[in-house]
Structures are given as C-alpha cells and as structure tokens.
C-alpha cells in the first residue's frame, strides 16, 4: 500500500507554525528593486522565446572582454514585411515583425555552448530571422482604416525598425505583394495614399500556398466539426497530398491539390458566400454579413423549407432513408402559402438560406472528391468564419453523401489562406524552411481586428493596449458570454438531423479575434532529441475537456487576485503597475472565458498551454518576474542551511545517502507558489520548518515508488560505469533547487557523471530560471568543493570565483556542472519545442531527471525517452492525485523508466 501523507502535513504545520514568524506575509514589502533591475536587464521583454537566429554566433574580440561584440552571421535582413489579400468583403493583412533587441550572450552561455560543441564554424542553418507573423482583418468597406493601420505602423516601409526605412529608401521603390480582386481595384489608391505598388499574385496560387503552409507548419490547424464538436486532426506530412481545397468566398473555388505548387482548379460554384449575403440582404434588410449570420442563430427553417414530412403527411420516406424532417426543397414551403416576404421572420429566412447554401457547397464538394477519389476536403474562405453551425452543416452534407467515406475539415486560419500565400510568394521569406517546432502561437490581447461590435485599433504601445483592454472589458460582456450549444434537433435535410451547434448568440468578431494568434517564428527551437517517438509524443497528461476545464477555470480564477497583487508588488506597486495589473487580470479572465465557452478555440489546448498562457499574459503587460522577491528570500534561507544538510548527507553511507537525496528532492518540491494548498501552508511556518516537516513525512512506499530500481541502477549496474551525462530539469527556487536538486546533482558529480541543470529561459511562478542558477551555484560552491570544482569546470564561476580561483589551481580535472536554458517560460515543458542549447546538451545524455508537478505530472508523465528517465514530484493538488494515482494530496511520485 502506498503511503498517504495528506492531512498530516497540514495538521503538523498548523501546530508547529503557531507563534513563528510568518515569512510569507512579509514578502510583499520586501520586494527588491535591485533584483528586479537585474531580472529586467537579463530578460527580453514580453517574449518567451529567444527571437534571433543565433546559429553560428561567434565572439568578435576576446572572450575575456567584458561585453564582447557578438556576430550573428545567420541573421538576415531579407525579410518581407507585409502581404495583402483584398477581397470583396474583407481585407486580410499579414505582416512580419522582428525584434530589434539583441539577445546578450553571457559568459555562462558561451562557455556552455562551446562545451556542447555549438560553435561549429558558423554554419548557416536557418535562412530567416526570428520574428512574428501577425494576422489582421479589415472590412473592405473600411479600406481607409487599413491604410491608416499600414501607415501608422510603417508596414509598407518594412516597419519602423527596418534597415530600408533607416537608410531612407524611397517609398517609390516599394512593392507589396497582394492578391484578391482588390489588388487590381485599389492599386491606384495604395499608390496615392502610401506610395507603394501592389504586386499582384494569382489568387489560386496564393490559396494553395497558404493552405499548404498552414497544414505543414501549424500543429493544430485543421479540425473536423460535427454535432457541435470540434476535433483537431494531426496531419501527417508524408500523407498530406492529394486533397481537395474548397475556398468559399463570394463564390466557391474547388481545387485539387497534389503537392507544393501542384494543383488544378477542378470546379467551382457561383452559389457561395456572396449569394448568402446578397440574397440575405435583399430579403432581411440586414446591414452586415455578421448580422445576417447572427439572425440565423434564432431561426426556424421549417416555416420556409418544404420538408419530407410536409409532402408525406408527417411521415418519413424511410425507403430511401429520408426522415420527415428532411428538407425536400429549400424555400419550397413558400410556394404553397399565400404570404408576402414581410410575413416571414428574417431569422427563418436567414437560416433557410444558410442551410441551402452550406448543403449545396458540401454536396458539390463531395461530388468532386468522389470524382477524383479524394477523402479529405479542407474548407476555407470568409464564408465559414469559424461559424459552428455552418461547419456542422457542411460536414453533415459531406458525411451523409459520402456515407462517412470523405471528411470535411476546416482551418483555423481559414480567412488568411490568400494573404499567407501572397506572403509566401516573396523570395527569401524563409518560411519554407520552417518546421512545426519553429513556430509558437501566442494569443495576445487587443490584436487589431476591425469589425463587429468592438473595434480593435492598431495598437502601438503598451499604454494603448491597456486602454483598449479597459474598453474591451467595459463593452465586452458578449465576449465572456458562453455560446449556448446543442439546441435539440427539429428539422433536417437529406436524411440527417439539424446540426446542433446553433445557439442564441453568435460569437462577436472581437471574440473571434482571440482565435487566431500571433505566430512567433523561432528558428532556434528544436525537438528534444531524446524523445523516443516525437510523432506520438503528447506533452499533456490529462485532456482538458469541458469538465476538466471548468475545474481549472475556477482554480486559476481564484488564484488571480493573489497573482495580481504579487505582480504589482514586484513592479514596485506604482500606479502604472496597478493599471497593468488590472489589464492583465482582465485579459487573462477574457482568455479563460473564451476557453470556457470553447476549450478548443486556440487549438488543442492542454493544462500546460493554459499555465503558459497565464505567464505569457503577465509578460504581455510587462510583468517581468512576479515572484522575484519570494524566490530570493527562499534562496537565501535555503542556502543558509545547505552546509548543515551537506554535512549530514556526507555522514551517511552511499545507499542511505541516495535515499535521503531522493527524499530531499520530493520533500522540497512542496515549495510551489502555484498550488493553493501549499500557499496556505506557507502561512503556518517558516521555510525551514516547512521543509523539515515535509521531510519528516516522507514515509515509503511513495504513491509510485521505483526507488529500489533506481538505486540498483545507480549503485550496482552502473557502479563502474557511471552515467556519462545527466540532465536535471529543475523546478522551483529556494529549498526545491538548493536543498533538493543541487545535492542530488552533487552526488551524480561525485559518481563521475557530468551534470547539466536545465532551467526555464523565462520566469514562471516561482520556478528558478537559467539566468538565476549560476549565482545560486556560486553561493552553494562556497560551502562545497565538489560543486565548486564542477561549476568551475563547467564555466559557471567565471565571475563569481574570481577571488578564489587560486584554490583550484592544483585541483584535479572535475566533471563539469553546466546550466542550460530549456527555451520555455512555463511551469511545464513540451519536448517538441526546446532550446537548441538543450537539444545539444541532450546528445550525450544518458540520464534524465524531471522534477516537479508541471514537468513530470501535468506534462510528460507518460513520455518515453531514449535513455533512462527518473520523474520526481510531490502531488500538490487533491484532484490530480485522485485522477492520476487514486491517491491524495502530498503523495510523492518516484517513477524510474530505464531503457533496457
Ligand atoms: C503550477 C504547478 C504545476 C507548479 O508545480 P511545480 O511544477 O512547481 O511542482 C502547480 O502548482 C499546480 O498544478 N497548481 C495547480 C493549482 C492548485 O493546485 O492550486
Ligand atoms: Mn514550479
């Protein structure tokens, strides 16, 4: 039976904590501005990933210089910045922005990279620079807003930071790629207003190139939509072609795609989005497409359509599989009634029209798929607009007529195919070379979408964004109102019932703006090379279905006020910080509300994504490190007791020590400011009291207890052949890293293994970052020769050890202790996208130790690796303990997975 520690930790600390100094209560007032300044200087603002192509980076000058110039030979300026698709109803605009800031390579990084063999002659591995792709929409009617936007951001001149702008290039020289009819129609206006020429690209070429790029590069791009249920489909790159691409704009184009640049427009229909909007406008007096679509949500088409039951006296025509509620003839009922147009409800007219046109498109598409033997049909174009009911209707048609053989799929960036294709048509854009793992999609607030009820203006600086956020919150009650799903079926067509995803409220455009994020292009990200099978790897352990999401929604919402307090305090508690804090809180709440409404709105979203979204949202409002003072206080307290702990450990025999070390890691993982239960504990005792208590409760067997297997591996199987290199994925600051992971690292070093501490690139909760570790190690090294020598050998003590280097002159060569960043700014880790530094470090590793709930329970609990892996964590959430292990809060997990 596994031990159950729950309750007792709380009880004992409740007593033990009485009368002791409450350190947790003091943290707000002890915010250290010096520490903030350091953290701010070290971190790129509002971005969680390195943004430059550092491959081939080299020091220009000597290593000993304080701030040597660093050359980035692979950094390219050949970047196109703007492409347009100017359609009849909407202008779709894509622009690329890159970061002017240079990431500083500190000595730790340089030395580690050298050691990992990462400076290898400046080979150019990626042709493009990191940056971001932004997707923006304007109504064609409001072309002026689009021109103002381009002009305010200087997008036509390559952005305000672009070399062409700085060097004063004449706007006359500028060619902007554009597709769609408006590229012809408005060419003169663009020339007149912006002084740029539109270089026209063929619409079909663009659609296909855009679709191919999306299907190749974006992980959760394509999805099915049936009965109100959205499901993302992972497309196998080797099995993508051929497919049918149906672009439903004003008219419909049906294209058979056989490969990159290989396609044929095989059919089309003039009955498309323009037909729906045109007829709808004439018949209902609606002022916009969205208004018409919104009306359909409340419609009942049985008042207008002739149903099978109307013909057969209420009976089914079962012989050919048609139910009484099947639409026999769209608008057919109106011929037998002596009514005028005004006698019909506009809602019913809109719905009848929508169903007529969607079914027709679905059916024609199916027939073309049949004609060419294709199973997959991707639908794109402005008509779809992520509208659940439209997608369901099309899916029903394809599914019904093909008897389930063909599949209708939709694309999250459906409206941007043409614009993306136009962007792709620039030479040297470099996107061709990007792979899925180079792209990270982020969902910032206030993306400048225009249209619908709330207008997102072109956002310039943070202040503008906050103001917009404030307005967004004031006006945005619709945004956080869930879209009701699942109205019971009443009518149908072609033998299938009415699609269920029809509700009272159509998602407003502003809300839809949260569906398509900003694509961060990060050429320095890599797939972790030790994943056993990257294709089947899924980081999240638990699926976030609606039920699960509800639970986390509450947890994260409850945590929000406290987080805002900490974040504001970490920035000095100024009025500006408070305003940013409010904006952050509203922004994150809006995300949560959007996801509550539709958990799959941003692609397949797991808990790891949700936790990362929170961190990203903090960064978006320029909170650099909300937990900085807590982290520092806990580091100091833990470093003060480290010497005693090391002495105690050294007095043990090897076996007892190994057990004490693993117990120590598990016990110290209790210092987790993301867990509500733990934070309550911190008010009941000092750090050291809580640590001692946690250790005292470490009875075995743990909930998962593979310690004996690990011990055998370490002390018997590998007695004479220690692990060559261990990667230790560290988690929290303070006791967790200082009293838990560092002593374990020291033991591995003692065994003769190289140790690489892998830490976050950017802060997340109280996690320690790679930037913070060298200082902690330098402090710890003052009390420990093993750590000192190894840190010196790993190049970690270049500055810190300047005064005591002489001690080490005659010391024997030690195996190195290194620090690498993981490429993440989240409490979890997705091994499909890690830093190139970590990927390089992994090449010689034969042991992985993942620590903490985020990295080894929420994610990676089921991940399999090519080398031995040890997963260590304390479960600090009751629901998770029950769900994963049928256990209890504070249970411990020691899962060892050796490769044979
Ligand atoms: C965010 C965390 C994964 C961090 O845990 P860690 O990786 O530090 O062990 C964890 O605190 C968590 O899952 N919190 C959930 C919220 C709660 O239980 O209150
Ligand atoms: Mn953590």
């Amino acid at each position: 039976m596994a031990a159950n520690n729950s309750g007792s930790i709380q009880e004992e600390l409740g007593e033990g904590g009485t009368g002791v100094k409450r350190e947790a209560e003091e943290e707000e007032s002890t915010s250290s501005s010096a520490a903030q300044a350091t953290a701010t200087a070290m971190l790129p603002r509002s971005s969680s990933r390195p943004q430059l192509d550092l491959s081939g980076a080299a020091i220009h000058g000597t290593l000993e210089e304080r701030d040597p110039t660093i050359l980035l030979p692979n950094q390219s300026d050949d970047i196109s910045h703007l492409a347009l698709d100017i359609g009849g109803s909407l202008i779709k605009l894509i622009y690329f922005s890159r970061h002017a800031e240079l990431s500083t390579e500190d000595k730790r990084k340089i030395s580690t990279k050298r050691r990992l063999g990462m400076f290898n002659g400046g080979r150019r591995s990626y042709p493009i620079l990191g940056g971001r792709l932004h997707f923006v929409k304007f109504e064609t009617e409001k072309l002026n807003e689009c021109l103002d936007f381009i002009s305010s951001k200087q997008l036509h001149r390559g952005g305000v930071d672009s070399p062409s702008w700085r060097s004063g290039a004449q706007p006359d020289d500028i060619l902007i790629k554009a597709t769609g009819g408006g590229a012809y129609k408005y060419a003169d206006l663009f020339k007149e207003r912006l002084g740029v020429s539109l270089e026209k690209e063929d619409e079909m070429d663009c659609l296909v190139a855009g679709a191919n790029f999306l299907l190749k590069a974006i992980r959760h791009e394509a999805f099915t939509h049936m009965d109100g249920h959205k499901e993302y489909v992972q497309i196998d790159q080797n099995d993508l072609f051929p497919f049918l691409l149906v672009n439903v704009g004003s008219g419909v184009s049906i294209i058979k795609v056989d490969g990159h640049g290989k396609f044929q427009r095989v059919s089309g229909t003039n009955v498309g989005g323009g037909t729906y909007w045109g007829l709808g406008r004439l018949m209902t007096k609606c002022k916009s497409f969205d208004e018409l679509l919104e009306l359909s949500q409340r419609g009942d088409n049985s008042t207008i359509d002739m149903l099978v039951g109307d013909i057969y006296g209420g009976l089914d025509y079962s012989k050919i599989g048609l139910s009484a509620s099947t639409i026999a003839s769209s608008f057919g009922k109106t011929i037998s009634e002596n009514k005028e147009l005004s006698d019909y409800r506009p809602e019913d007219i809109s719905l009848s029209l929508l169903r007529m046109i969607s079914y027709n498109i679905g059916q024609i598409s199916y027939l073309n798929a049949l004609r060419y033997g294709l199973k997959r049909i991707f639908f794109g174009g402005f008509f779809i607009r992520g509208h659940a009911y439209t997608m369901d209707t099309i899916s029903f048609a394809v599914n019904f007529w093909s008897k389930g053989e063909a599949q209708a799929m939709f694309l999250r960036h459906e409206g941007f195919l043409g614009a993306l294709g136009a962007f792709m048509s620039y030479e040297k854009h470099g996107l061709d070379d990007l792979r899925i793992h180079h792209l990270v999609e982020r969902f910032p607030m206030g993306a400048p979408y225009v249209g619908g009820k709330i207008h997102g203006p072109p956002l310039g600086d943070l202040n503008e964004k906050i103001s917009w956020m404030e307005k967004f919150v004031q006006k945005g009650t619709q945004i956080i109102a869930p879209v009701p799903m699942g109205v019971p079926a009443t009518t149908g067509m072609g033998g299938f019932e009415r699609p269920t995803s029809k509700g009272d409220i159509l998602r407003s455009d502003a809300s839809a703006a949260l569906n398509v994020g900003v694509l961060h292009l990060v050429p320095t990200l890599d797939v972790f090379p030790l994943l056993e099978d990257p294709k089947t790897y899924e980081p999240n352990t638990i699926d976030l279905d609606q039920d699960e999401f509800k639970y986390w929604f509450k947890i994260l919402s409850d945590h929000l006020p406290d987080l805002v307090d900490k974040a504001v305090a970490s920035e000095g508690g100024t009025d500006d910080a408070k305003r940013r804090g409010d904006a952050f809180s509203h922004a994150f709440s809006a995300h949560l509300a959007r996801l509550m409404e539709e958990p799959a709105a941003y692609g397949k979203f797991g808990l790891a994504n949700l936790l990362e979204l929170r961190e990203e949202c903090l960064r978006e409002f320029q909170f650099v490190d909300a937990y900085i003072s807590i982290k520092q206080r806990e580091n100091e307290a833990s470093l003060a007791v480290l010497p005693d702990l090391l002495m105690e450990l050294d007095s043990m025999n090897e076996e007892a020590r190994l057990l004490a070390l693993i117990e120590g890691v598990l016990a110290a993982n209790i210092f987790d400011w993301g867990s509500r239960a733990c934070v309550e504990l911190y008010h009941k005792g000092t750090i050291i009291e809580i640590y001692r208590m946690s250790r005292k409760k470490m009875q075995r067997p743990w909930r998962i207890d593979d310690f004996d297997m690990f011990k055998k591996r370490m002390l018997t199987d590998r007695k004479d052949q220690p692990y060559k290199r261990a990667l230790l994925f560290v988690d929290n600051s303070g006791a967790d890293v200082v009293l838990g992971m560092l002593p374990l690292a020291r033991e591995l070093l003692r065994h003769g293994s190289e140790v690489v501490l892998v830490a976050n690139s950017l802060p997340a909760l109280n996690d320690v970052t790679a930037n913070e570790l060298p200082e902690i190690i330098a402090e710890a090294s003052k009390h420990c020769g093993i750590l000192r020598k190894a840190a010196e050998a790993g190049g970690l003590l270049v500055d810190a050890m300047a005064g005591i280097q002489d001690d080490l002159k005659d010391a024997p060569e030690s195996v190195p202790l290194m620090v690498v960043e993981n490429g993440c700014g989240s409490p979890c880790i997705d091994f499909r996208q890690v830093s190139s530094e970590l990927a390089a470090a992994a090449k010689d590793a034969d042991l992985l130790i993942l620590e903490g709930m985020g990295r080894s329970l929420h994610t990676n609990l089921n991940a399999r690796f090519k080398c031995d892996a040890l997963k260590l964590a304390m479960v600090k959430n009751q629901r998770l303990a029950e769900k994963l292990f049928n256990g209890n809060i504070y249970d411990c997990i020691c899962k060892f997975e050796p490769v044979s």
Side-chain angles (χ1 to χ4, degrees), residues 422-460:
F423 193 94
M424 301 289 289
S425 70
Y426 281 105
E427 272 170 38
K428 297 188 189 165
H429 51 65
L431 296 185
D432 287 341
D433 298 313
L434 288 174
R435 296 284 167 271
I436 276 186
H437 60 268
H438 294 135
L439 291 154
V440 183
E441 194 175 10
R442 300 266 174 241
F443 295 88
M445 278 290 146
Y449 271 62
V450 174
K453 293 189 181 68
I454 296 160
H455 286 229
L459 301 172

Side-chain angles (χ1 to χ4, degrees), residues 551-552 555-556 559 607 611 614 669-678 731-732 736 765-767 827-828 851-856 858 873-874 876-878 880 889:
Y551 171 78
W552 290 103
I555 288 266
L556 297 181
H559 189 227
L607 187 54
L611 293 170
R614 180 170 65 178
N669 192 232
I670 202 166
F671 292 98
D672 165 11
W673 284 85
S675 148
R676 197 188 176 87
C678 291
D731 180 6
N732 303 316
D736 197 355
L765 291 165
N766 61 323
D767 289 355
C828 301
E851 192 232 345
M853 223 164 121
R855 292 170 189 81
S856 58
H858 290 328
M874 179 187 274
K876 292 152 292 189
N877 175 285
Q878 179 64 28
L880 196 76
I889 190 165

Side-chain angles (χ1 to χ4, degrees), residues 76-93:
S76 160
D77 283 331
D78 302 326
I79 290 169
S80 48
H81 288 264
L82 171 65
L84 295 156
D85 174 3
I86 312 176
S89 315
L90 292 172
I91 301 175
K92 281 75 63 176
L93 183 155

Side-chain angles (χ1 to χ4, degrees), residues 726-752:
L727 301 188
L728 272 57
F729 290 77
V730 296
D731 180 6
N732 303 316
S733 302
D736 197 355
V737 66
V738 175
L739 305 179
M741 290 299 265
L742 266 189
L744 180 61
R746 175 177 177 260
E747 188 67 12
L748 286 157
L749 291 166
R750 199 191 324 241
H751 279 249

